[in-house]
Amino acid sequence: MHIVDGALANEVVIGGAALAVGGVALGLKALPLEKIPAAGVLAATFFVASLIHVPVGPSSVHLILNGLAGLVLGWAAFPALFVGLLLQAVFFGYGGFTVLGVNTVNIALPAVLVGIVFGPLIARGPPVMAAIWAGIGGALAIAGTTLMVALALMFSGDAFLAAAHFVLFAHLPIVAVEALLSAAAVYLACQVKPDLFRTIRGART
C-alpha cells in the first residue's frame, strides 16, 4: 500500500499533497483534546499492523486497519494516519517523503468516508449489529484504499497498469481479514466502553 518515491507522475504527487494538507487540517480541527489518546492508539495500531508484510508474488501485502481508525476518529483519522506514515518513512523507509501526501490520502480518505457512513449506524445499534457494520466498513475502507492506489498508479502512466491490476488482486484476502478484525474490535469496544462511538459521534457534530 505504500507507493514509493519516484513511482508517480508529478501531477499525482502534487494533487495528493494538496488533498492531504486539507484533510489533515480538517482532521486537526475535528480532534478534541479528549480524543487525542484514541488518535495516538490508532496511529500506533496502524504503524505496527502495516509493518508486518506477507510476500505475494513480486510484492507483499499487509494490514492497515484504516477502517477502524475512520469509524472511531472520523476526519481525525487524517492526522493520525499521516503521523503513522511519516514515522514509517523516517524510521523504515516505507513509502517516501515526496509521496507522503498521496499515501495519506489513499489510506485516510476511505477511512473517513467509512466513518461518515457507518459511524452513526454503529453508534445507535446493539453490539452485534455494530460489529456487522464495522466489518462492512473495514472491508470497504481497505478496498477503497486498494482502488485509490491502483488509480494513482494508472494515472502515472501505462507502464504501471500491470502493477495496478496486481495491487487489486493481491489485496482481496486482506479485505476479508480487515473486515473480521474491525468487527471484533468494535464488538469488544461496545462491550467494554459502550459510549465510545456515541461520544465520538457527538464530538463530530
Side-chain angles (χ1 to χ4, degrees):
M1 282 305 173
H2 296 75
I3 299 176
V4 298
D5 283 331
L8 300 179
N10 291 335
E11 295 82 359
V12 176
V13 171
I14 294 171
L19 290 173
V21 169
V24 170
L26 288 172
L28 291 174
K29 185 178 179 180
L31 181 61
L33 290 176
E34 60 269 21
K35 299 305 174 188
I36 291 178
V41 169
L42 287 165
T45 301
F46 161 77
F47 179 85
V48 173
S50 56
L51 288 179
I52 304 172
H53 289 239
V54 179
V56 176
S59 183
S60 63
V61 297
H62 58 80
L63 296 174
I64 297 180
L65 297 177
N66 57 331
L68 183 61
L71 292 170
V72 175
L73 298 175
W75 276 101
F78 252 97
L81 295 171
F82 170 79
V83 169
L85 285 166
L86 177 62
L87 292 177
Q88 287 182 346
V90 170
F91 291 112
F92 300 102
Y94 290 167
F97 294 103
T98 63
V99 292
L100 186 58
V102 175
N103 285 332
T104 299
V105 173
N106 288 345
I107 293 175
L109 184 57
V112 170
L113 294 178
V114 161
I116 291 173
V117 174
F118 294 98
L121 298 174
I122 291 173
R124 62 172 177 257
V128 173
M129 283 305 303
I132 293 173
W133 289 125
I136 296 172
L140 290 177
I142 184 66
T145 292
T146 302
L147 179 60
M148 291 187 68
V149 169
L151 289 174
L153 292 171
M154 291 174 64
F155 289 152
S156 296
D158 294 340
F160 294 103
L161 286 177
H165 289 124
F166 176 79
V167 166
L168 290 171
F169 174 77
H171 281 83
L172 289 177
I174 301 297
V175 171
V177 174
E178 295 242 357
L180 293 173
L181 291 176
S182 298
V186 168
Y187 182 80
L188 178 61
C190 289
Q191 296 290 334
V192 176
K193 191 175 176 57
D195 62 335
L196 174 63
F197 294 98
R198 289 191 292 272
T199 301
I200 291 172
R201 184 186 176 193
R204 291 172 184 164
T205 56

